Amino acid sequence: MSQPVEGAGTFPDPEDVARNKRQFAWTFVGLMLAMLLAALDQTIVATALPTIVGDLHGLEHLSWVVTAYLLASTIGLPIYGKIGDLFGRKPIFLFAIAVFLVGSALSGAAHNMGELIAFRGLQGIGGGGLMIGAQAIVGDIIPPRQRGKYAGLMGSVFGLASIAGPLLGGYLTDSVGWRWVFYINLPLGIAAFATVLVTLHLHKPTGQRPRLDYAGTTLLALFSSAAVLLTSWAGNTYAWGSPQILGLAVVIVVTAVVFVQVEKRAEHPVIPLSLFRERNFVFPAAAGVTIGISMFAVVAYLPTYLQMVQRVSATASGLMMIPMVLGMLTSSILTGHAITRTGKYRVYPVAGAAVAGGGLLLLGQIGVATPYWELALAMVILGLGVGGAMQNLTLIVQNSVPHGVLGAATSAQNYFRQIGASLGIAVFGSIFVNRLTTQLASGPLAGHPVGGGGVSSLTPEVLGTLPAQVQQAIADAFGTALPPIYLYAVPVVLLGAVLGLFIEARQLSDTAPAAAMREERVESAV
């Protein structure tokens, strides 16, 4: 009698998957809505923060509104992936949506900053499961050969959310109040929950209940917490060489070493170490980190250039970022369809990273007098590169790992990308702030309070209250200090292209994992 395959219960029989095209379409819409919620909530709060902290009287805790969500969602990424493999993805996915909705409702009703930070953490616990659950379910129900075009659509959600989030957050704050930045999630989330509940049919795992990897999960949570706090605080709240940052670095190293030893002995490790013996996991995951660093560096700091140098509003700066989104949408969809048509994928991460490097190189040339069309061209090129590479890396990983660890592999790839991107933002941000401080202290504002160390208080609103000559000097300082960080990112993203060369080209199956697993069970029974 054959032994059950780990994770086999997460794959539905063909008859249960998308009984007709309409059912499948609604299932995919539900997954897209869930992905949009998770991606949107990472950016929608940014433009509402000044109003929120003013209303709740908590300026000193401002950064924690963002950090709490990021920390909780990062910790949850690999945990959701593994639990989905063991216990079935549909109930875990619905649980994540429900937690996210409860966190959203409570965040909107928060009476003080302590409550808001706690409820944002609850939102993040759900948000991590939304992203991984949707990607893993796509891996379950769509054949690898057909998955490219759907993966492209899902990847484009992140680009859309990066621009739509700040715009929507600003509009809601100005029109109906900041609480609707959180309440807007409720109708979208309920629609996603209901759609997935009704249309998605996945078999529940059978057999003996597996033992969870509690020790590995705890160590991973400690590692993730230290990593996110280090990347959030280093160079901003604390200096890179401060005891706090060095202490966090020690925690990162110690927990990483102990985690590896624990996972070697775990029956069901939260991140299977066998993944690191699979080249089509290691190289796509590493390439994803380098490309993610580049994308998030642009999203994080280019609006600052637009607002402080070109003197546009927050809303206008969001609209001016649209060329990058259009580039991402175009390349994500086109490369996905090309992979479905040809079955070949290896070229896209390499070419995408190289094109992204060209976009970063152009961004490194911008200055105070750069016309917008040049900036838009650079953003389009960067978007084309990122869109052509990022989402296809997930497809490569899912096509190369055993079915029983598909969720764990998908979540681990996203996890490392998020940790790496957070570190990149912290490093590039520290470089930018140091360069800006130097520019202000050595330029015409050397004797001015701003040039004497008031960099942290500079906002577009503050800039508008200063004399014209001072405004111009500050714009010149920003225009000089910021562009080099994009040049520093060029070798990082080109490293991603080099890593992509080591990805092995393998045939994409025309059979959904569900059908493949069923055939295996039939053959073993015979």
Side-chain angles (χ1 to χ4, degrees):
M1 182 175 179
S2 63
Q3 296 296 318
V5 180
E6 179 186 346
T10 64
F11 298 104
D13 290 328
E15 293 86 353
D16 294 329
V17 179
R19 296 179 184 275
N20 53 57
K21 291 183 178 180
R22 179 176 297 179
Q23 182 185 26
F24 174 80
W26 279 111
T27 299
F28 192 72
V29 166
L31 298 178
M32 290 277 284
L33 279 174
M35 287 277 286
L36 179 61
L37 282 172
L40 198 62
D41 223 66
Q42 295 183 7
T43 58
I44 194 173
V45 178
T47 46
L49 273 179
T51 303
I52 292 174
V53 298
D55 190 27
L56 299 181
H57 310 291
L59 180 62
E60 68 275 16
H61 303 302
L62 181 148
S63 64
W64 275 103
V65 178
V66 176
T67 303
Y69 183 91
L70 176 64
L71 177 59
S73 62
T74 301
I75 292 173
L77 286 175
I79 298 173
Y80 273 112
K82 186 59 183 180
I83 292 178
D85 284 337
L86 295 176
F87 296 98
R89 273 181 256 286
K90 180 176 178 178
I92 301 301
F93 188 53
L94 292 175
F95 170 80
I97 297 176
V99 171
F100 182 85
L101 290 178
V102 171
S104 297
L106 292 175
S107 295
H111 296 93
N112 54 62
M113 287 296 288
E115 289 183 2
L116 179 60
I117 291 168
F119 298 148
R120 281 285 285 168
L122 184 62
Q123 257 192 314
I125 292 174
L130 297 185
M131 290 187 290
I132 295 309
Q135 290 182 350
I137 290 170
V138 165
D140 276 345
I141 66 177
I142 301 175
R145 181 66 179 265
Q146 302 297 321
R147 202 177 298 158
K149 57 184 178 183
Y150 295 102
L153 289 172
M154 299 191 78
S156 65
V157 167
F158 287 96
L160 180 63
S162 66
I163 305 304
L167 288 174
L168 185 58
Y171 171 76
L172 292 173
T173 301
D174 293 338
S175 58
V176 294
W178 65 264
R179 296 183 186 277
W180 279 94
V181 168
F182 303 107
Y183 291 150
I184 192 67
N185 294 327
L186 300 181
L188 295 175
I190 291 172
F193 187 96
T195 302
V196 172
L197 179 66
V198 173
T199 63
L200 180 63
H201 301 286
L202 297 175
H203 280 305
K204 295 181 180 179
T206 58
Q208 186 178 2
R209 181 175 180 176
R211 183 180 179 182
L212 294 178
D213 179 18
Y214 293 107
T217 299
T218 302
L219 286 166
L220 187 64
L222 291 173
F223 173 88
S224 304
S225 300
V228 171
L229 292 177
L230 185 148
T231 56
S232 299
W233 289 347
N236 298 308
T237 306
Y238 303 104
W240 280 91
S242 66
Q244 292 86 349
I245 298 304
L246 293 178
L248 288 172
V250 171
V251 172
I252 290 172
V253 173
V254 171
T255 52
V257 172
V258 178
F259 176 77
V260 170
Q261 300 305 314
V262 168
E263 295 302 89
K264 287 180 179 179
R265 299 173 175 82
E267 181 181 0
H268 299 290
V270 64
I271 298 182
L273 298 184
S274 59
L275 291 175
F276 298 95
R277 295 192 292 271
E278 170 56 67
R279 64 185 296 171
N280 275 14
F281 170 81
V282 173
F283 290 111
V289 170
T290 64
I291 298 170
I293 288 173
S294 308
M295 183 185 76
F296 285 108
V298 173
V299 172
Y301 299 115
L302 199 53
T304 298
Y305 165 85
L306 293 169
Q307 294 180 47
M308 301 300 288
V309 178
Q310 300 205 353
R311 322 283 182 85
V312 302
S313 67
T315 301
S317 68
L319 291 171
M320 293 170 75
M321 293 281 288
I322 287 178
M324 180 176 171
V325 177
L326 293 177
M328 292 180 65
L329 286 169
T330 301
S331 58
S332 294
I333 294 172
L334 291 182
T335 58
H337 279 276
I339 290 173
T340 297
R341 187 177 65 255
T342 66
K344 300 183 184 302
Y345 54 73
R346 187 169 176 264
V347 65
Y348 298 111
V350 177
V355 171
L360 288 169
L361 190 62
L362 291 177
L363 284 174
Q365 313 304 316
I366 63 177
V368 177
T370 301
Y372 176 67
W373 71 265
E374 290 186 13
L375 188 64
L377 176 63
M379 285 191 286
V380 167
I381 293 174
L382 178 62
L384 287 171
V386 171
M390 183 75 79
Q391 194 63 25
N392 293 324
L393 293 170
T394 302
L395 168 64
I396 294 169
V397 169
Q398 291 184 337
N399 185 61
S400 304
V401 300
H403 298 151
V405 295
L406 185 143
T410 303
S411 60
Q413 187 222 1
N414 281 269
Y415 173 80
F416 291 125
R417 183 178 67 196
Q418 187 149 318
I419 291 291
S422 298
L423 179 61
I425 290 174
V427 172
F428 288 137
S430 181
I431 294 172
F432 167 56
V433 170
N434 288 334
R435 285 182 55 83
L436 179 61
T437 302
T438 301
Q439 288 291 326
L440 291 172
S442 61
L445 298 178
H448 194 276
V450 172
V455 175
S456 61
S457 64
L458 277 176
T459 65
E461 291 75 18
V462 171
L463 183 65
T465 65
L466 299 175
Q469 185 176 1
V470 176
Q471 290 187 33
Q472 186 59 51
I474 292 174
D476 290 341
F478 271 86
T480 302
L482 184 59
I485 72 170
Y486 298 117
L487 295 179
Y488 300 150
V490 171
V492 177
V493 76
L494 292 182
L495 174 61
V498 174
L499 292 169
L501 293 173
F502 292 92
I503 294 173
E504 184 179 6
R506 297 177 186 174
Q507 183 177 359
L508 292 172
S509 172
D510 288 310
T511 305
M517 293 299 294
R518 187 186 186 195
E519 290 172 4
E520 290 177 11
R521 292 197 297 270
V522 171
E523 290 176 2
S524 62
V526 174

